[in-house]
């Protein structure tokens, strides 16, 4: 090493009690980065050659076994190990045990599958999540897993990419034994000693019984293709995964491996794989707030309170209970509190009915939610989240009350989706302990969690809110304090263009088709019908009352005034038959549009699909650039994370900023400038967009100069 400092080996080999211990030590998650595979091979060869070694075990140092290949290496030229590790394991004459804690994912599980035995601690997770980054298990996973657990289960695991907990992995046959885990290394050595003399060595590649069983069900692959069609859309990776598992049924092992390698190579540098890799790292980067000291001492949040037992309050309480936090749910009205609890109970009961939750787990989570009628009942909580009606006077009244009852040091968070955090904090004596924690609807499902930084919010409060979001399973993202913060503010132009294009001649069903073909699960008009047209109607009325220049949406207003509130009234932008949720195009809506357009005297035109797509997304993109200019968002990639996890933006397109880069900042700017000429101020190009376009740079790499 240039400065002479010894390079810590990423793989260590030691012998203890006749067992060769191969330790992978490549923090933070022992990814199979440079030197790791070669290190493992070297250790295996050392153990193989040493007569003192009766068996070997592979174990990870730190918090995990192996979390897979080093994703940062993909798309780049990289040295390949002299032989694939699984081949070396297959050739071993001595048993090798994989001792798993933390995660065995992707190449990590594939290494374990090539070992002769797999043991794990109760809290471990295993999986082949490659499809989530647009590729497939390229280290033998598609050939070994079907042989070990049967093609149907393997197909489900590989196509979903889900992480499987130890207990289920044991039941499936992936894990041979669950070890207590108080001292995994010692427990695994004892296990290895126990199997050291067993022969023949159980190689997964030799197993055929589970494949035989499945020969009676050849239709499973076609069934899976049909089952994933809607969600997979145009993505290649899920179908390549199915093809590989199918090859395990139809080809000898080594030919199956060749098929897997060929299809892996086809996927590694696809646009979808690049976009999904970008999304993976963007979702890690979003947690970091530049300038926040890493060693900031954060208060521990052991229990929280939620004020307001409405739909949002209930969903927030569920998020806490789902992650093991005791939570007090407060509402001044006993009726609203009872209704809120009933809604929570119903949400859990639905999950039990669907089999995604056990009754015991439902009871355990419900027991964590304590209804409270008085403020004094929450005074000792470490943090409180206010989720009351979205009116400033109401919010300020609640915060003044919270300030007077909450214990010193308690943090006061608001779930407001747009109101001024500084104005809310101003009624308290502890504005440094106030921040926004904006959940998305439904709060117990959506992962985006906007943490809004007020002018007086302290770094500790900000960092604690960010961590709290992650602790309840959310993706926390920084947002500066401005109208609509970041996510909603980028969405407002989209909603406006959506409404205006219908006035100008685009049909709701055309817009929805364009967005579904683009990759959205549902079109924006159908989404409006799901959440109810009356929600935004009230907001528009409030904004029009406050701002005479506010551009309303007369067509949508007309629908609401005619009682067409969406699915809940059986009609909105679409018609819904007999409680069915399938949107049906309704000629009556076309008539309403015609009438209102006539009253507005608007000349209509036809729209191309591309024009619709660009009007919607460029309007938000332009606003996103303005937000970055103002420093209200830290990075362009944060905005992408919000759109992927808050607005259902198709993940294999990377996000709004990433997608715009595929078109090119220059082209986007030019179009925005044209629309500025045609439609006026609302399309005024962002200076940052112009700058990036001029500079030929990329939008997704933009980071705010001065966060505010
Ligand atoms: N490669 C590179 N860096 C990785 C990584 C990986 N596989 N996994 C995690 N990191 C980094 C991450 O960027 C972050 O860095 C830090 O580790 C902590 O991660 C041949 C081809 C393991 C469940 O898809 O799902 O194997 O931000 O914040 O929340 O078939 O990380 O601190 O600088 O996410 O506790 C397949 C990916 C690869 C697993 C831990 N494996 N990782 O979650 O921590 S493809 C995966 C995860 C493959 C083979 C193929 C999660 C985790 P930084 P984190 P976490």
């Amino acid at each position: 090493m240039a400065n002479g400092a010894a390079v810590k080996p990423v793989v260590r080999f030691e012998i203890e009690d006749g067992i060769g211990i191969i330790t992978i030590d490549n923090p933070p998650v022992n990814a199979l980065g440079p030197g790791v595979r070669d290190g493992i091979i070297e250790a295996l060869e050392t153990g193989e050659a040493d007569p003192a070694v009766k068996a070997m075990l592979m174990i990870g140092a730190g918090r995990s076994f192996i979390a897979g290949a080093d994703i940062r290496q993909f798309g780049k030229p990289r040295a390949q190990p002299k032989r694939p590790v699984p081949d070396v394991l297959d050739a071993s004459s001595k048993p090798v045990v994989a001792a798993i804690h933390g995660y065995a994912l992707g190449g990590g599980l594939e290494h374990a599958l090539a070992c002769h035995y797999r043991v794990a601690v109760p809290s471990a997770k295993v999986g082949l999540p490659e499809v989530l980054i647009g590729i497939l298990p390229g280290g033998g996973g598609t050939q070994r897993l079907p042989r070990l657990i049967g093609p149907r289960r393997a197909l489900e695991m590989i196509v979903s990419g889900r992480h499987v907990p130890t207990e289920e992995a044991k039941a499936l046959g992936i894990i041979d034994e669950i070890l207590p885990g108080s001292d995994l290394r010692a427990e695994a050595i004892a296990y290895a000693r126990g199997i050291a003399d067993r022969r023949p060595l159980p190689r997964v590649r030799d197993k055929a019984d589970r494949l035989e069983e499945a020969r009676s069900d050849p239709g499973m692959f076609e069934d899976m293709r049909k089952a994933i069609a809607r969600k997979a859309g145009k993505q290649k990776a899920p179908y390549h995964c199915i093809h590989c598992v199918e090859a395990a049924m139809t080809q000898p092992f080594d030919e199956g491996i060749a098929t897997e390698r060929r299809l892996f190579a086809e996927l590694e540098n696809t646009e979808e794989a690049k976009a999904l890799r970008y999304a993976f790292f963007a979702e890690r980067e979003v947690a970091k707030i530049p300038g926040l000291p890493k060693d900031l001492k954060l208060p521990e949040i052991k229990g929280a309170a939620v004020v307001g037992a409405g739909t949002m309050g209930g969903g927030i309480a569920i998020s806490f209970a789902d992650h093991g936090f005791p939570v007090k749910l407060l509402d001044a009205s006993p009726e609203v509190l009872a209704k809120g609890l009933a809604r929570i109970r119903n949400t859990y009961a639905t999950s039990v009915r669907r089999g995604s939750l056990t009754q015991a787990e439902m009871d355990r989570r419900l027991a964590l939610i304590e209804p409270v009628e008085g403020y004094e009942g929450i005074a000792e909580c470490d943090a409180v989240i206010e989720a009351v009606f979205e009116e400033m006077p109401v919010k300020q009244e609640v915060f003044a009350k919270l300030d007077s009852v909450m214990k010193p040091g308690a943090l006061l968070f608001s779930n407001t989706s747009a109101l001024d955090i500084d104005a809310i904090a101003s009624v308290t004596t502890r504005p440094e302990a106030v921040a926004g924690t904006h959940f998305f609807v439904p709060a117990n499902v959506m992962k985006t969690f906007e943490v809004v930084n007020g002018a007086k919010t302290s770094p500790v409060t900000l960092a604690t809110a960010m961590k709290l979001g992650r602790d309840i399973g959310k993706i926390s993202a920084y947002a500066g304090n401005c109208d609509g913060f970041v996510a909603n503010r980028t969405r407002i132009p989209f909603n406006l263009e959506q409404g205006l294009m219908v006035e100008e001649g685009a049909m709701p069903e055309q817009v929805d088709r364009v967005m579904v073909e683009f990759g959205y699960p549902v079109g924006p008009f159908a989404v409006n019908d799901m959440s109810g047209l009356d929600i935004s109607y009230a907001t528009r009325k409030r904004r029009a009352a406050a701002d005479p220049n506010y551009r309303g949406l007369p067509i949508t207003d007309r629908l609401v005034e005619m009682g067409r509130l969406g699915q809940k009234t059986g009609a909105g932008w679409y018609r819904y038959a007999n409680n069915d949720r399938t949107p049906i195009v309704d000629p009556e809506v076309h008539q309403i549009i015609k009438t209102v357009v006539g009253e507005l005297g608007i000349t209509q035109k036809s729209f191309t699909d591309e024009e619709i797509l660009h009007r919607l997304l460029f309007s938000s993109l332009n606003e996103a650039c303005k937000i970055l200019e103002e420093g209200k968002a830290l990075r362009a990639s944060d905005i992408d994370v919000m759109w992927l996890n808050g607005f259902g933006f198709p993940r294999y397109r990377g996000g709004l900023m990433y997608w715009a880069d595929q078109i090119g900042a220059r082209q986007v700017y030019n179009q925005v400038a044209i629309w500025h000429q045609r439609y006026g101020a609302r399309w005024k190009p962002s200076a940052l967009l112009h700058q990036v376009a001029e500079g030929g740079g990329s939008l997704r790499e933009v980071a705010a100069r001065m966060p505010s």
Side-chain angles (χ1 to χ4, degrees):
M1 190 69 188
N3 61 7
V7 180
K8 200 176 85 167
V10 289
V11 177
R12 295 193 299 276
F13 183 72
E14 301 137 297
I15 302 175
E16 195 175 315
D17 283 350
I19 303 300
I21 301 145
I22 304 167
T23 305
I24 294 93
D25 191 356
N26 185 30
V29 292
N30 295 330
L32 298 163
V36 176
R37 288 187 175 92
D38 286 330
I40 294 172
I41 291 172
E42 209 178 302
L44 285 168
E45 288 170 348
T46 308
E48 180 73 12
D50 186 334
V53 173
K54 302 298 179 222
M56 290 179 266
L57 74 86
M58 218 185 272
I59 191 165
R63 65 186 180 113
S64 194
F65 182 67
I66 301 169
D70 185 342
I71 302 172
R72 292 184 195 286
Q73 306 282 320
F74 288 132
K76 301 185 187 116
R78 56 188 183 277
Q80 289 299 339
K82 50 186 185 237
R83 287 164 65 202
V85 174
D87 292 9
V88 179
L89 285 161
D90 276 345
S92 173
S93 70
K94 299 178 180 179
V96 184
V97 178
I100 300 169
H101 74 297
Y103 297 96
L105 300 174
L109 180 57
E110 289 174 307
H111 281 42
L113 291 174
C115 290
H116 305 98
Y117 301 93
R118 286 152 294 281
V119 295
V121 300
S123 59
K125 294 236 172 78
V126 305
L128 296 175
E130 285 85 344
V131 71
L132 304 177
I133 49 172
I135 53 176
L136 56 82
T142 69
Q143 301 308 302
R144 286 192 173 82
L145 193 63
R147 283 172 167 76
L148 190 61
I149 70 173
R152 179 173 285 286
R153 296 286 177 79
L155 203 53
E156 184 276 324
M157 270 184 69
I158 293 171
V159 174
S160 69
R162 72 185 173 89
H163 299 177
V164 175
T166 295
E167 202 157 319
E168 184 187 347
K170 172 85 168 64
L172 285 170
I174 298 172
I175 300 295
D176 296 292
E177 188 153 326
I178 299 178
L179 300 179
S182 46
D183 179 347
L184 176 60
R185 182 189 159 96
E187 292 157 12
I189 290 172
Y191 180 89
R193 289 176 60 78
I195 53 86
D197 303 323
R198 267 191 227 159
R199 294 297 181 282
L201 296 177
R203 299 192 314 171
V204 175
R205 63 167 291 158
D206 302 331
K207 280 175 71 63
D209 53 332
R210 304 306 298 269
L211 295 181
E212 290 319 309
E213 273 165 31
R215 292 211 189 285
S216 58
D217 178 8
M220 77 173 87
F221 301 106
E222 235 8 74
D223 295 351
M224 183 59 91
R225 289 188 180 95
K226 290 201 189 91
I228 64 166
R230 204 169 116 79
K231 197 150 171 259
K234 300 192 184 89
Q235 293 183 72
K236 282 173 76 175
Y239 296 101
H240 275 35
C241 287
I242 297 172
H243 186 105
C244 286
V245 179
E246 202 165 14
M249 297 284 290
T250 56
Q251 296 178 318
F253 182 81
D254 293 319
E255 285 176 32
I257 290 286
T259 299
E260 180 191 274
R261 291 216 176 109
R262 178 170 53 76
L263 295 181
F264 179 90
E266 272 184 28
L267 291 176
E268 182 176 342
N269 293 314
T270 56
E271 286 313 316
E272 101 196 27
K274 290 180 200 162
L276 289 164
R277 285 199 289 269
Y278 163 81
F280 176 85
F281 287 114
E283 283 171 349
R284 269 104 200 130
E285 205 57 25
V286 74
K288 301 164 189 162
I289 302 184
L292 262 193
K294 284 222 174 358
D295 56 357
L296 215 48
K297 183 117 187 46
L298 304 183
E300 194 190 353
I301 307 292
K302 291 196 279 309
V306 177
V307 178
T311 312
M312 282 308 281
I316 295 170
I318 291 175
S319 299
F320 278 96
D322 284 356
H323 292 82
F325 282 87
V327 57
K328 298 187 185 236
L329 183 58
L330 166 68
D331 201 293
S333 141
E335 296 73 35
V336 175
L337 189 55
K339 227 168 134 207
L341 284 172
R343 198 180 297 113
I344 292 171
R345 212 170 281 114
N346 190 32
T347 304
Y348 280 133
T350 306
S351 303
V352 171
R353 258 199 319 281
R354 289 195 185 133
S356 58
L357 195 68
T358 63
Q359 185 60 49
E361 187 53 26
M362 167 176 169
D363 300 343
R364 201 183 62 72
R365 295 181 190 190
L366 274 176
L368 287 169
I369 302 174
E370 182 192 344
V372 176
E373 284 183 19
Y375 277 87
E376 56 294 334
I378 65 169
E380 290 311 309
C381 290
D382 304 314
V384 54
I385 298 189
E386 159 279 314
V388 299
F389 199 60
E390 194 74 347
E391 287 273 355
M392 186 54 84
V394 180
K395 301 269 189 206
Q396 291 182 320
E397 187 194 332
V398 169
F399 269 73
K401 182 73 182 167
L402 288 173
D403 186 40
S404 66
V405 299
M406 297 303 291
K407 69 179 181 184
L411 301 179
L412 315 183
F413 298 139
S414 172
N415 177 53
T416 177
S417 61
L419 297 176
D420 181 351
I421 289 292
D422 295 336
I424 292 174
S426 68
V427 299
T428 75
T429 57
R430 51 177 116 182
E432 75 288 351
V434 175
T437 51
H438 175 214
F439 289 75
F440 284 62
V441 184
N444 55 307
V445 177
M446 300 307 280
K447 281 191 163 292
T448 298
F449 181 80
E450 252 181 337
V451 174
V452 186
N453 187 25
K456 297 190 176 153
T457 302
S458 72
V460 167
T461 301
L462 185 63
T464 308
M466 291 285 285
K467 180 175 181 305
L468 183 63
R470 290 192 294 275
D471 291 345
I472 58 172
K474 306 296 181 191
I475 298 180
S476 302
Y478 173 99
N481 185 27
C482 57
D483 190 358
F485 311 134
V486 175
N488 281 348
R489 185 175 152 190
T490 56
R491 190 70 187 188
I492 289 166
F494 180 111
N495 300 342
L496 181 59
E497 295 306 315
Q498 179 192 339
L500 295 177
M501 282 194 284
V502 169
E503 291 177 10
E504 297 165 34
M507 277 302 145
E509 58 273 17
Q510 180 192 11
V511 174
D512 280 5
R513 175 183 52 71
V514 168
M515 299 315 276
V516 169
E517 284 173 4
F518 178 72
Y520 275 89
V522 184
F525 286 100
V527 170
N528 293 161
D529 274 358
M530 273 194 244
S531 33
L533 305 187
D534 47 334
I535 310 281
S536 57
Y537 179 80
T539 312
R540 280 195 303 283
K541 291 299 154 206
R542 258 203 313 276
R543 286 184 185 268
D547 168 6
N549 301 325
Y550 176 70
R551 178 57 166 90
L553 294 173
I555 295 176
T556 322
D557 293 349
R558 186 66 53 87
L559 292 176
V560 174
E561 286 143 13
M562 293 173 68
R564 299 180 66 104
L565 308 184
Q567 274 185 10
K568 57 186 170 191
T569 56
W573 286 106
Y574 296 96
R575 196 166 50 74
Y576 302 87
N578 319 327
N579 294 331
D580 182 81
R581 293 178 176 205
T582 314
I584 303 164
V585 175
D586 189 345
E588 194 183 328
V589 170
H590 295 179
Q591 190 47 52
I592 295 165
I593 293 172
K594 216 161 167 205
T595 309
V596 176
V597 164
E599 292 162 7
L600 296 170
I602 295 173
T603 314
Q604 294 208 309
K605 66 177 194 104
S606 64
F607 277 79
T608 65
D609 289 359
E610 185 183 81
E611 185 179 0
I612 288 173
L613 182 71
H614 290 181
R615 277 269 300 261
L616 293 175
L617 297 180
F618 286 8
S619 69
S620 289
L621 192 267
N622 193 33
E623 189 65 26
C625 290
K626 292 175 182 171
I627 291 171
L628 287 161
E629 275 168 41
E630 298 163 22
K632 299 298 181 188
L634 296 176
R635 287 160 286 247
S637 62
D638 288 9
I639 297 174
D640 280 343
V641 170
M642 292 179 186
W643 273 63
L644 292 176
N645 295 285
F647 299 134
F649 194 92
R651 209 177 158 77
Y652 62 89
R653 292 188 183 277
L656 183 66
M657 312 300 278
Y658 184 95
W659 166 76
D661 270 338
Q662 309 315 304
I663 297 170
R666 164 59 60 194
Q667 197 184 337
V668 174
Y669 172 78
N670 292 349
Q671 182 61 70
V672 170
I674 290 167
W675 281 332
H676 183 212
Q677 297 305 318
R678 191 181 306 164
Y679 299 117
R682 74 176 198 269
W683 278 99
K684 182 172 184 322
S686 136
L688 178 69
L689 175 58
H690 189 211
Q691 183 198 323
V692 176
E694 290 296 305
S698 93
L699 290 159
R700 68 178 174 277
E701 279 147 21
V702 169
R705 270 186 303 283
M706 285 299 295
S708 70

